[in-house]
Amino acid sequence: GSHTVVHLSGDDYHVWDRFAPMWKGLTHLNPRANDLQRFNSDALALMDGKPVICRHYDHSAGRFLAPVTLQRNDVVIVSGLHALRMPRLSKRFDVAVFLDIDEDLRRAWKIHRDVNERGHALETVLRSMERRALDSQRYIHPQRAAADLVLKLRPVNQRQLESAASPHAIPLKLSAQIRNGTYHERLARILIGICGLHLDIELAEDSDEVGMTIEGDVSAEDIALAAASLAPNLQEMLDIRPEWEDGMTGIMQLMVLLQIEESLKNRIR
């Protein structure tokens, strides 16, 4: 529940607001465009039970709001483009999740949003994506190695990206890499038995890493049943009623929950 959680967002540590001319030469993915030293220090302070003063970035206006005090809390969530970049911080996380998106799917989503919903010119959007692609490979993708759970969304049929009226309507599949987890066999049985999904599992020969590819249609109701079976002590973890999503988004919710549950059990032991 929100009364036990404090959230630190990397977006609040951009050096400039949306209208600064420096963005013509840098992207948000470049570490130089973010105050990562302050981000690192504030995250560690919250983990150590200390309050921090943080200014919030308003995405709708593209401006920073007045600074506010973030109080310590039982659960600290740290998110952002560079959350796993700094070893001193990433080593303190109990659970680290890297969300990956197929590049063609990401491209289709961004074009649909920026052109159809925000009214930007297609040429401007394409130039922006070209600039970000190099920074993504250089600064963002290497952080996958620091994650306990890597979740990658991909289209079931890549050709549908070209013909679908909306990229949000095409079926997706999920590829997951699980590190430091032992729940994959239980998860596979439930996803097949209760949710009726198709799974492929690959075990790495030289590590404990497990790869899973999940495909099929699944409802939020079935995911709730799967969660009740996989995590019978769910009420001890959550002080709220979970709002499960349909499809692969709900499966990602379930996998993150299981990763957190396993981390909690390891801490108690």
Side-chain angles (χ1 to χ4, degrees):
S2 59
H3 60 287
T4 62
V5 173
V6 58
H7 177 206
L8 192 74
S9 171
D11 289 353
D12 295 339
Y13 293 82
H14 295 328
V15 178
W16 312 287
D17 65 24
R18 184 182 301 162
F19 307 98
M22 280 69 77
W23 291 120
K24 295 179 181 179
L26 292 174
T27 75
H28 296 83
L29 284 67
N30 192 312
R32 292 167 51 203
N34 302 270
D35 189 351
L36 295 186
Q37 183 176 2
R38 180 73 177 271
F39 179 60
N40 183 85
S41 298
D42 286 355
L44 291 172
L46 287 171
M47 291 179 186
D48 291 334
K50 303 172 185 176
V52 300
I53 297 176
C54 175
R55 61 177 185 174
H56 176 65
Y57 182 72
D58 183 354
H59 281 274
S60 61
R63 301 283 190 186
F64 288 104
L65 303 179
V68 297
T69 299
L70 293 182
Q71 299 292 343
R72 65 155 302 278
N73 220 325
D74 297 325
V75 178
V76 181
I77 297 178
V78 180
S79 67
L81 291 167
H82 305 283
L84 300 178
R85 178 177 174 81
M86 297 155 286
R88 184 183 170 206
L89 176 58
S90 64
K91 290 177 181 178
R92 290 283 302 273
F93 292 139
D94 295 296
V95 174
V97 180
F98 185 96
L99 178 60
D100 201 358
I101 303 293
D102 173 83
E103 287 303 321
D104 290 336
L105 180 62
R106 184 199 305 275
R107 182 183 179 91
W109 279 353
K110 184 170 176 59
I111 290 175
H112 184 270
R113 182 194 67 183
D114 290 356
V115 175
N116 297 336
E117 298 177 10
R118 297 183 176 178
H120 297 310
L122 177 60
E123 295 78 10
T124 303
V125 176
L126 292 177
R127 282 198 302 270
S128 172
M129 287 192 295
E130 290 174 2
R131 292 176 57 221
R132 293 171 67 95
L134 182 60
D135 281 354
S136 179
Q137 289 295 328
R138 182 179 297 171
Y139 303 118
I140 307 303
H141 281 260
Q143 296 179 67
R144 290 169 54 109
D148 303 305
L149 183 63
V150 179
L151 300 171
K152 182 168 185 174
L153 284 172
R154 296 184 291 163
V156 172
N157 185 343
Q158 206 80 13
R159 295 179 180 177
Q160 288 184 312
L161 284 175
E162 303 172 2
S163 58
S166 169
H168 297 287
I170 67 172
L172 300 177
K173 59 183 175 181
L174 176 66
S175 295
Q177 290 177 292
I178 305 170
R179 305 181 184 117
N180 307 319
T182 61
Y183 55 83
H184 61 277
E185 292 185 0
R186 292 186 295 125
L187 175 63
R189 288 195 297 268
I190 294 298
L191 291 183
I192 294 171
I194 292 182
C195 301
L197 296 172
H198 304 284
L199 267 76
D200 288 321
I201 299 179
E202 184 176 346
L203 304 177
E205 295 182 359
D206 56 348
S207 71
D208 294 331
E209 184 173 309
V210 178
M212 297 183 70
T213 300
I214 305 166
E215 183 178 337
D217 295 325
V218 59
S219 68
E221 290 77 11
D222 283 345
I223 294 174
L225 290 174
S229 178
L230 288 163
N233 298 321
L234 192 62
Q235 291 181 344
E236 296 179 12
M237 289 178 57
L238 304 179
D239 196 32
I240 57 174
R241 183 179 179 85
E243 295 183 6
W244 301 103
E245 299 283 342
D246 295 322
M248 293 301 114
T249 303
I251 298 299
M252 290 194 293
Q253 288 178 287
L254 180 60
M255 295 186 75
V256 171
L257 183 71
L258 293 175
Q259 195 80 32
I260 293 172
E261 182 194 40
E262 188 149 303
S263 176
L264 284 173
K265 288 180 179 178
N266 291 336
R267 289 184 66 180
I268 293 172
R269 289 171 191 162

